[in-house]
Amino acid sequence: MITELHRNPAPPTPRRRPPVLPDALDSIGAAGGVANVIMQLSWPEVGWGVRESRVDTGNVYKRPLKRARTTFQYLAVATLGSDDDKRVYREEVTRIHRRVHSTPDSPVKYSAVDPKLQMWVAACLYVGFEDVFEWLHGPMTESDREAFYRSAPSLGTTLQVRADQWPATRAEFDDYWHEGKSRIRFDNPVRDHLVGLTELRMLPQPTTVLFGRLNKWVTTGFLHREFRDALGLAWDPRDQRRFERFLALTAAANRMLPYPVRTLTYRVLLLDLKWRLRTGRPLM
């Protein structure tokens, strides 16, 4: 699968070894973070679950910095963490998710511990990692893509996804992804919630005024067409050409940084996890 970020890809890049998921764990990849959240919330059950959640400590509009920390810490644990780190984080995620469920007044029925919904969230995370890797390091060969995919199940099993739920091959994942996209729907309250994220409305002024428009443009560029169209975000060929130049420039700048610098955010978040466990502070 070649994503929209690589509509006109260069030839696959020769590599000394097959890529694995941590190779895409790059701090600059956070630029596509809001786009990935939109993808995850594109199933009505997930979107309404977040929109109606009564767990205020995880509400991005009330605790934006904490929500960012826990989201990226999850990615650090799922890709770089030990088995114990993953177990502890999975238990904490499960504890929080048990509190997120529909009520009789909810527009759709949902539960945040539903493995089918968590599989969709994990699939969106995987596609985001694949996009980031190819943005920063060039297109993969099919064998590289398969090796990259084989390193990815922890994105789901660190949630509530069972190991046997994860599609066995990259081709089977494509089938799952294609079917999953047929369920994309943004009801108006969920759409307003997500457009607000693109415009950084959860952050204090003057952040929204200074960076909201730019963030919305970057987020729209990172979205795959089906999600962008469903959310009603405008995008034209001129935007696409500018976005492709943005990708090329940021990838070139990123290659100038050593790996420890590029992954610093995630390594610090792993240290933060160990500090929280040692001192008894809450993870979420």
Side-chain angles (χ1 to χ4, degrees):
M1 179 185 72
I2 299 297
T3 71
E4 190 170 348
L5 300 185
H6 302 93
R7 288 189 313 174
N8 302 301
T13 304
R15 296 184 173 89
R16 289 175 292 179
R17 62 165 177 80
V20 290
L21 205 66
D23 294 332
L25 200 67
D26 200 300
S27 296
I28 199 170
V34 174
N36 202 263
V37 169
I38 290 171
M39 291 162 64
Q40 295 168 35
L41 272 60
S42 64
W43 278 16
E45 301 94 329
V46 184
W48 278 105
V50 170
R51 180 66 179 79
E52 291 191 326
S53 174
R54 297 173 294 282
V55 183
D56 285 349
T57 56
N59 188 315
V60 68
Y61 281 92
K62 296 180 179 179
R63 304 288 295 276
L65 297 182
K66 181 178 182 180
R67 184 59 191 240
R69 191 263 298 169
T70 57
T71 297
F72 288 105
Q73 193 165 58
Y74 174 83
L75 298 179
V77 169
T79 53
L80 296 176
S82 67
D83 288 344
D84 278 346
D85 293 336
K86 292 171 184 174
R87 176 186 56 78
V88 168
Y89 225 78
R90 180 171 58 249
E91 290 172 355
E92 183 66 5
V93 169
T94 301
R95 184 183 71 82
I96 296 296
H97 280 179
R98 285 198 181 108
R99 300 164 59 190
V100 180
H101 52 80
S102 54
T103 70
D105 296 326
S106 298
V108 296
K109 186 177 180 180
Y110 60 83
S111 168
V113 293
D114 184 339
K116 292 180 181 179
L117 301 184
Q118 292 300 325
M119 179 61 218
W120 174 249
V121 170
C124 293
L125 290 173
Y126 173 75
V127 169
F129 269 91
E130 193 174 87
D131 284 350
V132 167
F133 182 89
E134 294 199 311
W135 158 34
L136 296 174
H137 305 291
M140 288 185 268
T141 64
E142 288 308 307
S143 61
D144 281 351
R145 195 181 304 280
E146 194 67 35
F148 189 79
Y149 178 73
R150 285 197 300 270
S151 71
S154 61
L155 288 175
T157 56
T158 312
L159 291 169
Q160 288 86 39
V161 177
R162 301 186 312 272
D164 62 357
Q165 278 185 268
W166 194 259
T169 67
R170 186 61 182 76
E172 290 179 29
F173 179 85
D174 260 351
D175 292 339
Y176 171 84
W177 184 246
H178 179 73
E179 182 180 350
K181 288 190 295 185
S182 69
R183 297 193 57 203
I184 294 172
R185 191 185 87 213
F186 297 104
D187 295 330
N188 285 335
V190 176
R191 179 181 289 108
D192 292 344
H193 176 94
L194 293 173
V195 171
L197 295 186
T198 72
E199 296 172 350
L200 301 178
R201 289 185 214 156
M202 66 288 193
L203 298 178
Q205 295 292 7
T207 308
T208 305
V209 173
L210 294 176
F211 303 109
R213 184 175 179 182
L214 173 62
N215 190 71
K216 186 175 185 179
W217 181 80
V218 170
T219 297
T220 305
F222 274 113
L223 281 171
H224 293 203
R225 177 180 52 79
E226 298 91 340
F227 301 90
R228 180 193 305 152
D229 292 348
L231 199 59
L233 297 176
W235 195 254
D236 59 29
R238 181 171 178 267
D239 286 313
Q240 185 64 31
R241 290 192 298 271
R242 292 171 58 207
F243 186 68
E244 289 170 0
R245 288 196 295 271
F246 163 79
L247 293 179
L249 288 171
T250 52
N254 191 70
R255 284 192 290 271
M256 299 173 65
L257 300 174
Y259 181 78
V261 174
R262 300 200 311 266
T263 59
L264 179 62
T265 301
Y266 296 95
R267 290 185 292 110
V268 167
L269 286 169
L270 273 183
L271 291 174
D272 175 79
L273 170 66
K274 297 183 186 304
W275 171 73
R276 289 176 182 277
L277 292 174
R278 188 173 62 252
T279 59
R281 284 172 169 76
L283 301 185
M284 295 185 181

